[in-house]
Amino acid sequence: MTTEESFYRDLGGGRFESTGATAGPWNAKAQHAGPPSALLGRALERHQPRPGMRIARITLEVPYPVPVGELAVEARTVRGGARTELLEAELTSQGRPVMLARAWRVAASPEDTPALRPEPGPAALPAPHPVTAAPGTLTDGYVSAMEWRFQEGSAGFTTPGPGAAWVRQRIPLVAGEEDTPLTRALTVADSNWAIAFELDHVRRLVINTDVTLALHRDPVGEWLSLTSATAASPAGSAIASGRLDDRSGDCGRVLQTLLVAER
């Protein structure tokens, strides 16, 4: 379990210090995409907020690995409107963009909008249990900063997908701050492809280039469930798609493009 108090410390002026809890499973010097995704989501939520508006969809592009170190975040409006706004944000390390985000902020739907939910809800939250990490991965950073409860019959990250897991943060995104529904969802969303994992990542290079999170409602509570699967084709690529639930049911969807290449 991590000894860090948070994923980031706010240095002021849009600058943040990354803690060791952000480190991903493949390299202790590179972050898991979950925490920096949430840091960008935090910036977008705080950028010129308007009552009655919510972020419904956010897509994050990962052109470079995000280093564990000092980062800067900046958000701006691409297109403003009475009911919809297109926003974007950029995460930089030493002046180089390492993660980009675009999001639609829209007017919240009327109270009499029907609650449409075509899929069954997730399995109940399992009791605490040991989780097996994938061979050769690091568990001292992000993996241990999150609490994982996989569906019955799964050993964790070593059981091939499709899969389902309940996940929650053990620490806040930014020291001294309350997390928001959006930042909690983004901290979890990049784990979608790991829960869905069915491709041989030892023999082949398999890595996601992006994360899209679409929320038809804001998730409630600290526990979130991902139910995820992978689709792949020869001479193509792969897609990891998942459904995000809270303990009341369906909140939205996660989609990731996966590069599949020979090592």
Side-chain angles (χ1 to χ4, degrees):
M1 187 180 299
T2 184
T3 58
E4 300 284 3
E5 64 173 4
S6 62
F7 288 109
Y8 300 102
R9 301 184 186 98
D10 190 347
L11 302 177
R15 297 177 302 113
F16 295 85
E17 177 189 359
S18 310
T19 73
T22 63
W26 308 108
N27 185 335
K29 295 182 180 180
Q31 297 190 34
H32 186 280
S37 297
L39 196 61
L40 283 167
R42 173 187 180 275
L44 290 167
E45 281 189 304
R46 292 175 173 226
H47 176 67
Q48 299 175 356
R50 292 167 54 192
M53 302 281 282
R54 60 181 296 274
I55 291 180
R57 193 274 292 163
I58 180 169
T59 294
L60 302 121
E61 314 286 358
V62 193
Y64 297 101
V66 180
V68 178
E70 186 175 319
L71 302 171
V73 185
E74 184 178 356
R76 52 192 166 268
T77 301
V78 177
R79 180 245 185 220
R83 298 183 181 181
T84 63
E85 294 178 329
L86 181 60
L87 310 177
E88 64 181 16
E90 183 177 72
L91 189 67
T92 58
S93 172
Q94 298 182 340
R96 182 172 77 166
V98 290
M99 186 176 276
L100 311 169
R102 276 204 166 193
W104 279 104
R105 184 159 59 192
V106 304
S109 57
E111 290 294 331
D112 61 353
T113 302
L116 304 177
R117 192 174 185 286
E119 299 189 37
L125 178 68
H129 61 86
V131 173
T132 306
T137 59
L138 307 172
T139 59
D140 291 340
Y142 173 85
V143 174
S144 64
M146 309 292 287
E147 183 175 357
W148 308 87
R149 297 192 190 178
F150 283 82
Q151 66 184 358
E152 186 177 354
S154 173
F157 296 106
T158 57
T159 301
W166 286 92
V167 194
R168 70 171 172 180
Q169 295 170 228
R170 299 184 191 273
I171 57 176
L173 179 68
V174 177
E177 291 185 8
E178 254 334 288
D179 294 317
T180 68
L182 178 66
T183 64
R184 284 195 297 270
L186 286 168
T187 301
V188 168
D190 185 61
S191 299
N192 171 68
W193 76 283
I195 293 168
F197 212 60
E198 298 175 77
L199 297 166
D200 183 353
H201 67 274
V202 175
R203 189 164 63 91
R204 292 190 172 95
L205 173 66
V206 183
I207 189 168
N208 67 300
T209 59
D210 52 67
V211 186
T212 293
L213 172 67
L215 295 171
H216 63 82
R217 69 172 177 86
D218 295 340
V220 177
E222 58 181 357
W223 280 105
L224 296 174
S225 171
L226 278 168
T227 304
S228 309
T230 302
S233 296
S237 54
I239 295 173
S241 56
R243 190 184 76 238
L244 185 77
D245 292 82
D246 60 16
R247 298 182 78 168
S248 297
D250 182 18
C251 304
R253 301 291 181 272
V254 181
L255 188 71
Q256 294 165 287
T257 307
L258 304 180
L259 165 70
V260 184
E262 298 295 341
R263 286 194 178 275

